[in-house]
Amino acid sequence: MKKLPIGIQSISKILSENYVYVDKTTFIKELLDEGSPHYFISRPRRFGKSLFLNTLEEVFKGNKELFKECQIYNSNHDWQKYPILHLDFAQIHSTSPEGLEIGLQEALEDVAAAYGISITGASSQSQLKRLVIKLAEKNRVVVLVDEYDYPIINNLKSIEIAEKNRDLLKDFFGTIKSLDKYLKFTFITGVSKFSRVSLFSALNNLNDITMDPKYAGIMGYTEEDLLSNFTPHIASISKSQNREKTKILAELKEWYNGYHFSKSNTCVYNPFSTLNFMEKKEAEPYWYSTGTPSFLIHEVQKHPQSIVPLSGTTAKKSGLMDISNLEKIDLTALMFQTGYLTIDTYNPTTNRYHLTFPNKEVKESFLDSLIEHFTTITPTISSKCQQMLETYQLTSFFNEMSSMLASFPYQLFVKATEATYQPVLLGILKGMELEVEAEQATNIGRSDLIIQMEKTTYILELNAPSEQALTQIHDRKYFERYTQKGKEIALIGVTFSSESRTISSWKGELLSSDGHRVQSLDPNKSG
């Protein structure tokens, strides 16, 4: 069984040391054959951008034998060797425009030294020009740029620095455009596209393939990729956990699939989280945990009136790929470009995309961040709510929940449904350190929320009206799996009001541990 390349961005290491490689070289051949030599793509962090650039680098170095197990090996690619200028802006100091300028000069000098060239110049622009012209004496130059937007997006809390870095980048990439006759190929990646305010106004000959259906699967894993490359790992998980492979695949899909980057049907899994799932054999928010979106939460806090509804929103392509104002960034565009929203459907009549959360990992984790920043859950509040549940003071408990919900910006709950409120309530309950689970499956459905207290199991169904929700718990026998556990079972139907952002009504009853009705839980008499 091949090793899992977690965190490895060297294609040479992956291909030569028996790691799993999901072959993306067919996309490279297509890019080379297309005839447009200058490309840009935006993809979320840890989505394979750096590995793809490194793969391009090895192809342009002419290292054919490295790719003998890949599709490009048997193609008609000529395997010429080209000088390469590879810049990773995430590795260049950029907390100030002065530091960015010095960092660029040092990076260019390092490339020059690697090719035995010395360069001079008073600025990064002049050094870049001299370096490319000298490199082109051997052959036309390949320019590869990773995380071009890092100096901007990493400084959004200081607009002055972000704007100065943006202007420096605009001039730097404008120099690349002036060197077109010396260039063979350009490929630039980033998380976001700051159109009209960065390289896209200066280097306007870039072919932006971010939302091109033809390249929807260029990064990330498709369903076919998953089954073709990870079947031995899935079988290993199945054996060690005594679980059916179909259930493991379903869990993978629920947690990590769901990314659509175009109007095509191509859907991809988050590669970083998928690899970690294969390694650790359990579903966790691996991608989200590597870096909470502080810049995104900062924008939400700064402009709560612009927040995207949790039930989803729509936008045209130009709106999704256009961030033109650093003072007030369009949150829909930012959330799409950074991977927190993805395309759900496309309406060709209106030319609009409907957006949604891609999967369980992103939805639950992002909501947890919102809860952390918009609510105050103290140990005192947690203790009080736990006591309310233990003593069936449910009116008081749901009043406390309503107060929590009211602390969020009202825009979050525009056109909200049960599916909107369920993860929010789940996050609040987890924040109170309650033992809570969501969507526990039975043979005829999934219960919305389960709260385990010391003496009571709570089964909550979120529906409208609350009487209907309570009836659904009975009809689908959600409570049966919790009988004979030595605990009473509280069945609660809950109705939300999107207008008031409160729990507008609830209805409940208490069962004995063997599932027999003990009493009604009357909203007028329970706290």
Side-chain angles (χ1 to χ4, degrees):
M1 187 165 67
K2 290 189 174 182
K3 296 179 288 186
L4 296 165
I6 298 173
I8 300 176
Q9 299 170 357
S10 164
I11 189 65
S12 177
K13 182 178 179 69
I14 289 172
L15 292 178
S16 62
E17 297 184 20
N18 198 38
Y19 285 93
V20 174
Y21 176 58
V22 176
D23 191 356
K24 300 293 183 179
T25 61
T26 51
F27 289 106
I28 291 177
K29 186 63 171 67
E30 195 161 356
L31 289 169
L32 298 178
D33 290 345
E34 193 170 87
S36 173
H38 307 299
Y39 295 95
F40 169 79
I41 192 168
S42 164
R43 284 292 186 268
R45 60 187 173 81
R46 294 186 176 272
F47 233 83
K49 299 187 296 295
S50 297
L51 177 60
F52 190 80
L53 281 187
N54 184 253
T55 306
L56 277 169
E57 182 172 359
E58 294 298 334
V59 168
F60 280 113
K61 284 180 177 178
N63 290 341
K64 180 177 181 178
E65 291 307 307
L66 177 65
F67 296 96
K68 59 186 176 183
E69 295 182 0
C70 300
Q71 292 292 323
I72 198 171
Y73 184 82
N74 295 314
S75 73
N76 62 352
H77 179 58
D78 61 13
W79 296 100
Q80 278 195 56
K81 186 174 182 178
Y82 297 89
I84 296 166
L85 171 57
H86 189 165
L87 297 173
D88 182 356
F89 277 82
Q91 303 302 317
I92 295 174
H93 178 78
S94 60
T95 55
S96 69
E98 296 78 15
L100 177 58
E101 170 63 20
I102 293 170
L104 279 171
Q105 291 185 34
E106 290 176 345
L108 293 172
E109 289 165 3
D110 287 343
V111 174
Y115 283 94
I117 296 171
S118 61
I119 54 172
T120 58
S123 69
S124 58
Q125 292 170 250
S126 60
Q127 286 190 348
L128 172 64
K129 184 175 181 179
R130 289 180 171 88
L131 175 59
V132 169
I133 291 173
K134 285 189 177 183
L135 288 175
E137 292 174 2
K138 301 178 180 180
N139 203 344
R140 285 188 296 163
V141 180
V142 171
V143 176
L144 305 176
V145 177
D146 202 5
E147 306 286 4
Y148 91 93
D149 55 341
Y150 189 87
I152 303 173
I153 206 167
N154 203 43
N155 289 289
L156 287 178
K157 290 185 178 181
S158 175
I159 296 299
E160 182 181 0
I161 293 175
E163 287 181 338
K164 288 182 178 179
N165 283 351
R166 171 203 67 191
D167 294 340
L168 196 160
L169 292 178
K170 178 181 177 181
D171 293 339
F172 183 81
F173 287 109
T175 302
I176 291 180
K177 182 183 177 182
S178 71
L179 298 167
D180 185 60
K181 67 179 180 179
Y182 300 102
L183 303 181
K184 166 67 178 176
F185 184 86
T186 304
F187 199 91
I188 299 175
T189 80
V191 171
S192 300
K193 182 179 178 181
F194 292 95
S195 75
R196 296 200 303 272
V197 295
S198 188
L199 73 123
F200 303 97
S201 55
L203 193 57
N204 56 14
N205 58 342
L206 282 174
N207 180 5
D208 183 355
I209 61 172
T210 299
M211 296 180 68
D212 188 333
K214 185 163 50 175
Y215 297 106
I218 195 170
M219 294 166 192
Y221 301 150
T222 64
E223 191 84 22
E224 183 181 353
D225 291 335
L226 194 73
L227 296 175
S228 299
N229 294 274
F230 296 100
T231 296
H233 294 86
I234 294 168
S236 174
I237 297 171
S238 174
K239 182 178 180 180
S240 65
Q241 298 181 355
N242 193 27
R243 295 173 62 199
E244 296 177 12
K245 294 177 185 177
T246 54
K247 291 185 177 180
I248 295 168
L249 289 169
E251 185 176 36
L252 265 167
K253 192 169 190 175
E254 179 185 27
W255 272 82
Y256 308 125
N257 195 21
Y259 292 91
H260 288 92
F261 295 109
S262 75
K263 57 189 176 185
S264 76
N265 292 326
T266 302
C267 187
V268 297
Y269 290 74
N270 182 311
F272 181 81
S273 289
T274 300
L275 288 173
N276 275 276
F277 176 89
M278 298 295 179
E279 175 75 20
K280 298 177 176 62
K281 299 179 172 57
E282 62 179 328
E284 295 287 344
Y286 298 110
W287 174 75
Y288 198 92
S289 298
T290 60
T292 54
S294 57
F295 63 89
L296 184 53
I297 297 298
H298 175 71
E299 290 298 316
V300 169
Q301 290 177 309
K302 193 165 63 171
H303 305 291
Q305 71 279 6
S306 302
I307 198 168
V308 179
L310 295 177
S311 54
T313 189
T314 63
K316 289 189 175 182
K317 180 178 179 179
S318 58
L320 293 177
M321 294 307 300
D322 182 6
I323 297 178
S324 57
N325 185 348
L326 296 186
E327 287 282 357
K328 186 178 179 182
I329 293 175
D330 183 283
L331 286 176
T332 299
L334 185 62
M335 289 183 70
F336 171 70
Q337 293 178 22
T338 52
Y340 298 99
L341 289 177
T342 196
I343 295 169
D344 184 26
T345 57
Y346 171 71
N347 187 329
T349 303
T350 61
N351 195 29
R352 296 186 74 86
Y353 296 86
H354 182 265
L355 305 179
T356 187
F357 289 105
N359 49 47
K360 184 174 181 178
E361 174 182 30
V362 175
K363 185 173 187 176
E364 289 192 1
S365 299
F366 182 68
L367 289 177
D368 285 347
S369 288
L370 290 181
I371 289 164
E372 180 183 345
H373 287 84
F374 283 105
T375 63
T376 302
I377 303 177
T378 65
T380 300
I381 291 174
S382 298
S383 177
K384 182 171 68 173
C385 287
Q386 290 174 23
Q387 181 66 20
M388 290 172 184
L389 288 172
E390 289 286 16
T391 56
Y392 305 119
Q393 299 177 59
L394 299 184
T395 296
S396 297
F397 174 77
F398 286 123
N399 285 341
E400 193 68 45
M401 294 300 101
S402 292
S403 177
M404 293 280 185
L405 291 170
S407 66
F408 289 97
Y410 73 90
Q411 292 89 346
L412 277 173
F413 300 110
V414 174
K415 297 181 180 179
T417 63
E418 168 201 334
T420 305
Y421 284 106
Q422 188 252 23
V424 177
L425 192 56
L426 174 66
I428 292 174
L429 295 172
K430 282 184 175 179
M432 293 179 173
E433 298 186 354
L434 290 167
E435 185 181 341
V436 59
E437 298 174 291
E439 297 186 339
Q440 288 301 297
T442 69
N443 59 344
I444 54 174
R446 289 172 176 261
S447 54
D448 284 335
L449 290 172
I450 306 295
I451 307 173
Q452 294 287 359
M453 304 302 295
E454 184 178 354
K455 299 177 181 179
T456 310
T457 296
Y458 278 87
I459 301 175
L460 276 65
E461 186 68 18
L462 317 180
N463 213 322
S466 53
E467 291 85 351
Q468 182 178 325
L470 188 60
T471 299
Q472 182 170 308
I473 296 175
H474 278 288
D475 290 346
R476 298 186 179 181
K477 303 184 187 306
Y478 291 154
F479 59 88
E480 284 191 342
R481 67 185 295 177
Y482 300 101
T483 59
Q484 311 305 326
K485 305 286 188 182
K487 291 184 181 182
E488 292 185 312
I489 306 168
L491 314 181
I492 312 292
V494 182
T495 302
F496 289 92
S497 168
S498 294
E499 293 182 3
S500 61
R501 290 175 292 151
T502 59
I503 295 171
S504 57
S505 68
W506 65 272
K507 187 176 179 64
E509 61 182 60
L510 190 64
L511 308 183
S512 63
S513 62
D514 58 4
H516 291 97
R517 190 175 188 276
V518 174
Q519 67 181 70
S520 170
L521 294 173
D522 189 338
N524 298 316
K525 297 179 181 179
S526 58

